[in-house]
């Protein structure tokens, strides 16, 4: 009996272990790759590319042979009656004889081959198929770039939150120690009550900030999971450090990199729009051309008073037709010309927008370079500020316990240190986010689906 209970327990524990969500561990590059494959927007963008491929074949197939077949069966429950002059059967002139034509059971089967021979709109449609695929592929590239940026930002925010919590915990420990020592000194009558209260205010503020930072850390992890396409309740582990990552993203050579504006994804999307508008103009013009199609069909018919269509001696009668159809547009009262002019104007608008996009991309690249360069300078400046703030706070702490500095001076030095810590952490994150923003404008070829 005991063995039976033990076996049930082991099976239950095994079932629970199998249902436990998998833990994920990511470096930044692993997180980017995972996000590109599993992010919800990325999945849908890939589906759009697949749809475009199917649409491309749909357009091509319209000019290929089309074969269809029909089959009919009729059971004439009561055949219609026709009246014939009686005199043809030897009757009296002026009288009529009721007769019926046909058989009770009829079957008819026909197969038809249709072939488009010439149609201007089909030729334009073939041209548009390539542009349609390019539009979806460029949309996928744009989505991948945005996902890359979102993953890096989310990854950096988690690291920033972790660093912030760690620093605040260390600050709380240090101030708690100072508070306890000062409180003991005050109890012995060697310190002012104001010194204790000033440290208590600092300690309470730090604990409050620590509590808020822990909640922000939880939110940052959930946002990271959502960006990667992982359920928010599943724990993840990040293997990078914020300072190490910031140094990896410290790249002065990137400021010297140049690309043709035509390679920028936003420009390519605008160019796709212009190509689409031009194709629409061609399509409207093609509607003024004649179209020619041909067809061939073959069918059989069977007739019987009884349902004998599966009998070997059932007789069937064949029929076949070959034909062509020519459609020539002659006069539309200016309707086709009006539509063509509308599409021409829309094409001209798209070309203006393309020129605007070209200038906007140049501006964005220059702005992103400026922001990245400033982030590198700011990182170095904030690193120096932190070193100075640490020395100042340390000196004021020594002076305070030696009775040379007041609690207010120590508090000001601590606030200055805490602000320098936050500014330094933010400067590291700014280096990372500014670089990915610039890379998105420059390094689009990595995510280009074209060969």
């Amino acid at each position: 009996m005991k063995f039976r209970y033990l076996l049930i327990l082991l099976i239950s524990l095994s079932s629970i272990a199998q249902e436990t969500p998998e833990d994920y561990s990511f470096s930044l590059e692993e997180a980017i790759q995972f996000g590109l494959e599993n992010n919800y927007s990325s999945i849908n963008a890939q589906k759009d590319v697949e749809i475009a491929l199917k649409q491309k074949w749909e357009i091509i197939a319209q000019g290929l042979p089309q074969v269809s077949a029909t089959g009919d069966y009729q059971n004439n429950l009561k055949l219609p009656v026709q009246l014939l002059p009686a005199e043809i059967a030897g009757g009296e002139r002026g009288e009529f004889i009721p007769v019926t034509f046909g058989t009770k059971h009829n079957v008819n089967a026909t197969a038809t081959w249709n072939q488009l021979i010439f149609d201007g709109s089909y030729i334009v449609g073939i041209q548009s198929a390539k542009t349609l695929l390019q539009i979806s592929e460029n949309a996928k590239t744009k989505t991948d770039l945005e996902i890359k940026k979102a993953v890096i930002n989310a990854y950096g925010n988690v690291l920033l939150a972790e660093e912030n919590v760690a620093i605040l915990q260390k600050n709380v420990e240090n101030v708690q120690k100072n508070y306890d020592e000062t409180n003991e000194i005050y109890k012995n009558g060697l310190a002012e009550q104001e010194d204790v209260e000033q440290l208590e205010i600092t300690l309470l503020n730090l604990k409050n900030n620590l509590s808020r930072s822990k909640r922000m850390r939880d939110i940052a992890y959930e946002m990271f999971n959502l960006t990667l396409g992982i359920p928010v309740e599943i724990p993840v582990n990040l293997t990078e450090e914020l300072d190490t990552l910031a140094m990896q993203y410290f790249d002065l050579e990137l400021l010297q990199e140049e690309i043709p504006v035509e390679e920028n994804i936003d420009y390519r999307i605008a160019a796709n729009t212009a190509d689409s508008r031009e194709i629409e103009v061609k399509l409207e013009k093609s509607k003024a051309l004649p179209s020619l199609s041909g067809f061939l069909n073959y069918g059989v018919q069977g007739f019987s008073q009884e349902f004998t269509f599966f009998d070997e001696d059932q007789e069937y009668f064949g029929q076949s037709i070959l034909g062509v159809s020519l459609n020539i547009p002659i006069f539309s009262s200016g309707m086709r010309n009006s539509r063509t002019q509308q599409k021409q104007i829309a094409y001209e608008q798209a070309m203006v927008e393309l020129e605007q996009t070209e200038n906007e991309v140049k501006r964005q690249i220059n702005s992103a370079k400026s922001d990245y360069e400033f982030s590198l300078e700011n990182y170095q400046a904030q690193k120096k500020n932190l070193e100075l703030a640490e020395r100042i706070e340390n000196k004021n702490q020594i002076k305070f316990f030696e009775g040379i500095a007041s609690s207010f001076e120590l508090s000001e030095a601590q606030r200055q240190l805490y602000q320098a810590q936050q500014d330094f952490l933010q400067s590291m994150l700014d280096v990372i986010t500014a670089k990915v923003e610039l890379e998105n404008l420059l390094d689009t070829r990595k995510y280009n689906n074209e060969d």
Side-chain angles (χ1 to χ4, degrees):
M1 185 64 69
K2 291 182 179 180
F3 177 76
R4 179 184 177 187
Y5 288 143
L6 180 60
L7 182 61
I8 294 174
L9 178 60
L10 290 174
I11 294 174
S12 300
L13 291 175
S14 176
S15 176
I16 292 173
Q18 292 176 357
E19 294 175 359
T20 300
E22 179 184 357
D23 290 347
Y24 291 93
S25 181
F26 296 106
S27 66
L28 180 57
E29 287 302 319
E30 290 171 344
I32 292 173
Q33 188 59 40
F34 189 93
L36 292 174
E37 294 174 359
N38 297 278
N39 180 276
Y40 303 116
S41 297
S42 179
I43 293 174
N44 282 335
Q46 182 59 42
K47 297 291 185 184
D48 289 337
V49 174
E50 294 172 6
I51 291 173
L53 287 170
K54 300 301 182 183
Q55 290 176 333
K56 179 180 179 180
W57 178 250
E58 177 188 359
I59 293 172
I60 294 174
Q62 292 176 9
L64 301 179
Q66 310 290 319
V67 179
S68 61
T70 60
D72 296 303
Y73 163 72
Q74 293 181 350
N75 186 336
N76 296 306
L77 300 178
K78 189 172 180 61
L79 290 170
V81 175
Q82 300 289 333
L83 296 180
L84 296 180
E87 57 186 291
I88 64 175
E92 296 294 330
R93 183 180 180 86
E95 295 182 357
F96 296 90
I97 302 173
V99 296
T100 58
F101 294 94
T103 56
K104 181 175 178 59
H105 299 277
N106 302 327
V107 294
N108 178 32
T110 304
T112 303
W113 175 304
N114 289 288
Q115 176 63 59
L116 181 65
I117 299 174
F118 175 79
D119 190 329
S121 61
Y122 173 72
I123 297 174
V124 176
I126 294 295
Q127 296 175 354
S128 70
K130 180 180 180 181
T131 301
L132 178 65
L133 184 58
Q134 286 178 344
I135 290 173
S136 60
E137 288 178 343
N138 284 336
K140 177 66 167 62
T141 300
K142 177 69 173 178
T143 301
D144 286 347
L145 290 170
E146 292 299 324
I147 290 172
K148 173 193 171 187
K149 180 170 71 173
V151 170
I152 293 175
N153 288 341
Y155 197 101
N157 284 330
V158 171
L159 295 181
L160 177 64
E162 288 284 10
E163 290 284 348
N164 197 32
V165 169
I167 288 176
L168 285 172
Q169 286 175 336
K170 183 178 179 180
N171 291 340
V172 167
E173 292 173 1
N174 291 336
V175 175
Q176 182 71 56
K177 180 181 178 182
N178 291 343
Y179 171 79
D180 293 339
E181 293 177 356
T182 305
N183 194 35
E184 287 298 322
I185 296 173
Y186 166 70
K187 290 178 180 179
N188 293 325
L190 300 177
E192 297 290 335
Q193 183 179 6
E194 180 183 349
D195 296 336
V196 178
E197 292 174 344
Q198 187 67 58
L199 286 171
E200 186 176 5
I201 291 174
T202 302
L203 182 60
L204 289 173
N205 286 335
L206 283 174
K207 288 182 176 179
N208 184 56
N209 288 337
L210 177 59
S211 177
R212 182 174 64 87
S213 295
K214 288 180 178 179
R215 289 194 293 270
M216 296 301 295
R217 180 183 60 183
D218 294 339
I219 294 174
Y221 271 107
E222 290 182 357
M223 191 63 197
F224 176 76
N225 283 23
L226 183 62
T227 304
L228 265 66
I230 301 174
V232 294
E233 68 274 7
I234 294 181
V236 296
N237 177 47
L238 308 190
T239 60
E240 306 272 11
E241 298 289 340
L242 184 60
D243 54 349
T244 304
L245 202 58
M247 292 308 300
Q248 292 175 358
Y249 275 66
F250 202 99
D251 184 9
L252 293 173
E253 294 182 359
L254 185 61
L255 296 171
Q256 307 303 320
E257 185 171 344
E258 299 287 345
I259 65 162
V261 177
E262 292 78 9
E263 292 186 13
N264 177 271
I265 187 61
D266 292 325
Y267 181 90
R268 296 209 309 267
I269 290 175
N272 286 153
T273 301
D275 291 341
S276 297
R277 297 294 179 266
E278 184 179 17
I279 289 173
E280 289 175 358
V281 174
K282 293 180 180 179
L283 180 62
E284 291 300 327
K285 290 181 178 180
S286 69
K287 292 179 180 178
L289 299 176
S291 61
L292 179 65
S293 61
F295 69 92
L296 170 66
N297 70 15
Y298 179 80
V300 293
Q301 292 178 311
F303 308 94
S304 178
Q305 287 296 116
E306 302 293 336
F307 193 88
T308 59
F309 300 111
F310 295 108
D311 296 347
E312 293 182 359
D313 57 350
Q314 173 65 44
E315 186 176 9
Y316 289 95
F317 303 94
Q319 60 181 16
S320 181
I321 302 175
L322 172 66
V324 294
S325 175
L326 177 64
N327 180 29
I328 303 176
I330 297 177
F331 183 65
S332 65
S333 298
M335 180 177 61
R336 284 193 301 272
N337 183 53
S338 177
R339 289 177 177 173
T340 302
Q341 290 178 354
Q342 293 177 48
K343 300 301 181 183
Q344 179 65 36
I345 295 172
Y347 170 62
E348 293 170 359
Q349 288 178 323
M351 292 302 296
V352 172
E353 292 172 359
L354 180 61
E355 183 179 351
Q356 180 184 4
T357 301
E358 180 180 0
N359 288 317
E360 178 62 19
V361 167
K362 292 178 181 178
R363 184 200 66 79
Q364 289 177 351
I365 292 176
N366 293 333
S367 177
K369 285 185 176 181
S370 177
D371 291 342
Y372 181 53
E373 186 175 15
F374 173 76
S375 71
L376 299 179
E377 295 172 353
N378 186 55
Y379 168 76
Q380 293 174 321
Q382 295 303 330
K383 183 178 181 180
K384 183 65 175 178
N385 286 344
L386 178 59
E387 295 172 355
L388 294 173
E390 287 174 343
R391 289 204 295 268
I392 292 172
E393 193 272 343
N394 186 54
K395 290 178 180 179
N396 275 274
Q397 190 170 162
I398 295 173
K399 290 179 180 179
F400 173 75
F401 283 105
E402 290 179 351
I404 300 175
S406 66
S407 60
F408 180 77
E409 290 173 325
L410 175 60
S411 177
E412 284 298 311
Q414 288 173 332
R415 278 195 288 269
Q416 183 175 261
L417 172 62
Y418 303 153
Q419 185 61 51
Q421 290 170 339
Q422 296 298 316
D423 291 343
F424 180 60
L425 290 178
Q426 186 62 48
S427 71
M428 288 192 287
L429 182 61
D430 290 343
V431 169
I432 297 170
T433 57
K435 184 182 180 184
V436 70
E437 188 70 36
L438 180 56
E439 284 181 334
N440 275 8
L441 293 167
L442 296 176
D443 191 18
T444 62
R445 288 158 292 182
K446 181 178 180 181
Y447 300 97
N448 188 0
N449 294 321
E450 298 176 4
D451 294 331

